[in-house]
């Protein structure tokens, strides 16, 4: 088997194209739910799919450039969804942070995090937050390793810790 270190590669970031890549977005979201919670519980049936795609349309309209795909040379390798907190505009929020399985544990997460940090700083954000399921230890360790601090459970979703 030949492996490649992602730090030797680069990813490009492009706004998502929902007309072309809606199936990819849904697949990534379902995989994230599986990794975080053990099942794609929130996307059962076409209504869940449609709600998620509508939320992406709304996010792209509210924050142009805030929903992007990370591309290697030929394929989509990940997705990030970002905005500012409505209640605290100086705080950037990462709604969704995803890498395909073949890009995990290869340094690509640092690239996505750097992109998100730069993008949100460009919006005037001084801090960033995100939520991590307590059952997603791999993600929690990644964020901790990169300097994030657990600030406790979200008030609206007690099973998610905020960082």
């Amino acid at each position: 088997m030949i492996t490649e270190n992602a730090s030797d590669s680069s990813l490009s970031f492009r706004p998502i194209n929902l007309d072309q890549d809606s199936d990819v977005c849904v697949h990534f979201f379902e995989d994230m739910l599986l990794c975080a919670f053990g099942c794609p519980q929130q996307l059962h049936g076409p209504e869940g799919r449609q709600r998620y795609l509508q939320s992406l349309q709304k996010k792209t309209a509210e924050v142009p450039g805030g929903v992007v795909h990370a591309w290697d040379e030929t394929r989509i390798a990940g997705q990030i969804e970002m905005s500012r907190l409505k209640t605290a505009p100086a705080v950037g929020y990462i709604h969704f942070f995803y890498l395909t399985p073949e890009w995990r544990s290869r340094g690509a997460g640092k690239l996505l995090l750097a992109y998100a940090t730069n993008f949100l700083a460009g919006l005037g954000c001084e801090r960033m937050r995100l939520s991590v399921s307590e059952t997603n230890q791999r993600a929690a360790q990644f964020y901790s390793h990169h300097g994030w601090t657990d600030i406790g459970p979200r008030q609206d979703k007690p099973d998610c810790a905020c960082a």
Side-chain angles (χ1 to χ4, degrees):
M1 177 190 308
I2 298 174
T3 59
E4 177 181 323
N5 185 330
S7 62
D8 296 336
S9 302
S10 65
L11 296 174
S12 61
F13 296 88
R14 304 179 206 158
I16 63 166
N17 180 339
L18 280 175
D19 293 331
Q20 180 178 318
D21 299 316
S22 62
D23 288 341
V24 171
C25 294
V26 169
H27 172 72
F28 287 176
F29 193 72
E30 288 177 333
D31 189 43
M32 178 278 298
L33 291 171
L34 183 62
C35 292
F37 302 106
C39 72
Q41 58 202 8
Q42 297 174 356
L43 279 186
H44 289 299
E47 288 181 17
R49 173 188 167 91
Q50 193 58 33
R51 272 193 310 272
Y52 176 61
L53 293 174
Q54 287 171 344
S55 78
L56 288 179
Q57 285 179 320
K58 183 178 177 182
K59 287 175 190 168
T60 58
E62 290 176 353
V63 182
V67 181
V68 296
H69 277 144
W71 287 77
D72 66 11
E73 292 181 10
T74 60
R75 296 177 292 154
I76 300 172
Q79 181 173 319
I80 314 169
E81 300 171 21
M82 306 162 284
S83 68
R84 291 187 284 196
L85 286 180
K86 288 180 174 46
T87 57
V91 179
Y93 195 83
I94 299 174
H95 300 272
F96 185 68
F97 189 94
Y98 179 84
L99 281 168
T100 59
E102 59 270 15
W103 278 88
R104 295 176 192 158
S105 299
R106 295 178 48 200
K110 291 187 298 189
L111 300 174
L112 267 68
L113 198 51
Y115 180 86
T117 300
N118 290 333
F119 179 82
L120 292 168
L123 294 178
C125 297
E126 300 167 2
R127 294 179 295 145
M128 295 188 307
R129 284 193 184 159
L130 53 80
S131 298
V132 178
S133 167
E134 290 182 0
T135 59
N136 193 349
Q137 289 301 307
R138 183 176 182 170
Q141 289 173 345
F142 170 82
Y143 295 116
S144 176
H145 177 75
H146 287 89
W148 290 71
T149 303
D150 184 345
I151 61 172
R154 285 176 49 174
Q155 299 297 341
D156 62 331
K157 294 185 180 182
D159 59 336
C160 290
C162 288

